[in-house]
């Protein structure tokens, strides 16, 4: 059983690595962004608020996120291991997770520089149904059939927040709010940094750690 956290700037490949890891290690993928995108389809004040925050690249209030995560982690399917993609994103969220007394085995910090992440935004398209992520500008990430998800056959979409303007705010939010949690997990001796590698190189490094070759 492995419980894993992925920390990375926007568009650094958290979703892609999560999908590869889930297939290889039979883990549950918990993408907070995907859970929020389901919530914002519903009518009401909360969905208006979520839309506003997400489309502008700001974080959603910790209280809402913590509620969503608590419910999701209580689900029985998490017992065999999970990947947290996009959580925690603030020190307060990390502290709350700590209080839940759930063992976190590995935290991978996928460190991609700002320019690379920004360039990836341009070609990124994702599956609204299963959350798979593709990139029309990166050879190894192009879908087999144009605009169709390899995994579930749904039509791929460009996310509202995947544009250069919103990227700037998402990146600044990441630096100010999320980067401090890197030290939080460093101090717990569970953090492994992977710097500026391609999709498959990153996946290989993660596998080495999970298989016990490094560490
Ligand atoms: P993502 O799909 O991970 O890129 O997340 C998309 C958007 O959802 C972010 O820009 C935030 O507005 C919101 N979001 C996702 N995860 C969190 C979180 N842990 N805390 C606060 N807001 C979040």
């Amino acid at each position: 059983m492995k419980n894993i956290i992925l920390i990375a700037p926007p568009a650094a490949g958290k979703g892609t690595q999560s999908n590869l890891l889930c297939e290889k290690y039979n883990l549950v993928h918990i993408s907070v962004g995907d859970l929020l995108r389901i919530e914002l389809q519903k009518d009401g004040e909360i969905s208006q608020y979520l839309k506003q925050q997400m489309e502008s690249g700001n974080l959603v209030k910790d209280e809402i996120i913590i509620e969503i995560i608590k419910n999701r982690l209580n689900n029985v399917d998490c017992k065999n291991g999970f990947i947290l993609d996009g959580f925690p994103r603030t020190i307060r969220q990390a502290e709350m997770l700590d209080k839940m007394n759930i063992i976190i085995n590995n935290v991978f910090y996928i460190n991609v520089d700002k320019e690379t992440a920004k360039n990836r935004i341009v070609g990124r398209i994702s599956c609204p149904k299963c959350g798979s992520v593709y990139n029309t500008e990166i050879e190894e990430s192009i879908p087999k059939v144009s605009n169709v998800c390899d995994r579930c056959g749904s039509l791929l979409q460009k996310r509202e927040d995947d544009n250069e303007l919103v990227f700037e705010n998402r990146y600044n939010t990441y630096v100010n709010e999320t980067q401090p949690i890197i030290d939080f997990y460093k101090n717990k001796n569970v953090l492994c940094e992977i710097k500026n590698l391609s999709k498959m190189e990153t996946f290989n490094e993660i596998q080495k750690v999970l298989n016990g070759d490094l560490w």
Side-chain angles (χ1 to χ4, degrees):
M1 201 254 322
K2 286 270 183 201
N3 295 332
I4 296 168
I5 292 176
L6 299 183
I7 304 175
K14 292 190 295 294
T16 303
Q17 294 302 324
S18 297
N19 289 336
L20 291 168
L21 285 164
C22 284
E23 269 171 35
K24 172 102 196 213
Y25 297 97
N26 201 20
L27 302 167
V28 173
H29 178 198
I30 304 177
S31 158
V32 178
D34 286 349
L35 294 174
L36 291 170
R37 279 183 281 276
I38 293 170
E39 283 301 312
L40 67 78
Q41 307 292 330
K42 302 173 186 168
D43 283 336
E45 250 175 57
I46 291 207
S47 62
Q48 278 304 317
Y49 163 75
L50 294 179
K51 198 170 155 60
Q52 199 182 19
Q53 294 303 99
M54 294 170 77
E55 286 184 3
S56 57
N58 292 322
L59 291 185
V60 170
K61 277 189 239 165
D62 285 333
E63 290 73 20
I64 295 180
I65 300 294
I66 287 167
E67 187 66 24
I68 289 176
I69 270 297
K70 272 191 178 159
N71 284 337
R72 186 63 190 87
L73 289 178
N74 275 332
N75 204 308
V76 68
D77 64 352
C78 293
K79 298 279 175 276
N80 295 326
F82 56 79
I83 302 174
L84 283 175
D85 159 3
F87 180 90
R89 253 171 155 121
T90 62
I91 286 283
R92 198 166 153 226
Q93 291 177 15
E95 285 170 349
M96 165 265 153
L97 183 63
D98 221 30
K99 286 201 188 109
M100 282 180 77
N101 281 330
I102 292 171
I103 292 170
I104 299 297
N105 304 93
N106 302 89
V107 178
F108 292 99
Y109 166 34
I110 306 171
N111 185 358
V112 168
D113 66 64
K114 186 177 174 186
E115 273 315 294
T116 309
K118 193 172 178 174
N119 291 337
R120 286 186 190 173
I121 285 281
V122 178
R124 186 158 90 156
I125 40 176
S126 45
C127 177
K129 195 156 176 224
C130 73
S132 296
V133 185
Y134 301 87
N135 200 308
T136 54
E137 303 296 310
I138 303 172
E139 185 78 41
E140 59 184 355
S141 302
I142 297 173
K144 291 192 183 87
V145 177
S146 171
N147 239 18
V148 175
C149 179
D150 292 354
R151 230 163 147 212
C152 74
S154 303
L155 268 189
L156 299 173
Q157 285 178 359
K158 183 127 195 90
R159 276 171 45 175
E160 294 278 352
D161 57 349
D162 271 354
N163 62 66
E164 285 189 39
L165 197 70
V166 179
F167 174 83
E168 282 300 324
N169 195 32
R170 285 165 74 192
Y171 193 85
N172 290 339
T173 304
Y174 164 76
V175 170
N176 296 327
E177 307 275 352
T178 307
Q179 269 186 346
I181 68 173
I182 291 165
D183 279 341
F184 180 93
Y185 288 112
K186 238 185 219 164
N187 292 336
K188 290 185 177 294
N189 283 325
V190 285
L191 190 103
C192 170
E193 179 177 352
I194 299 168
K195 204 165 179 184
N196 275 331
L197 294 181
S198 71
K199 167 180 153 183
M200 289 320 290
E201 286 167 341
T202 301
F203 184 50
N204 288 338
E205 285 306 302
I206 294 177
Q207 286 184 90
K208 274 192 211 160
V209 173
L210 294 180
N211 298 340
D213 295 354
L214 283 176
W215 216 219

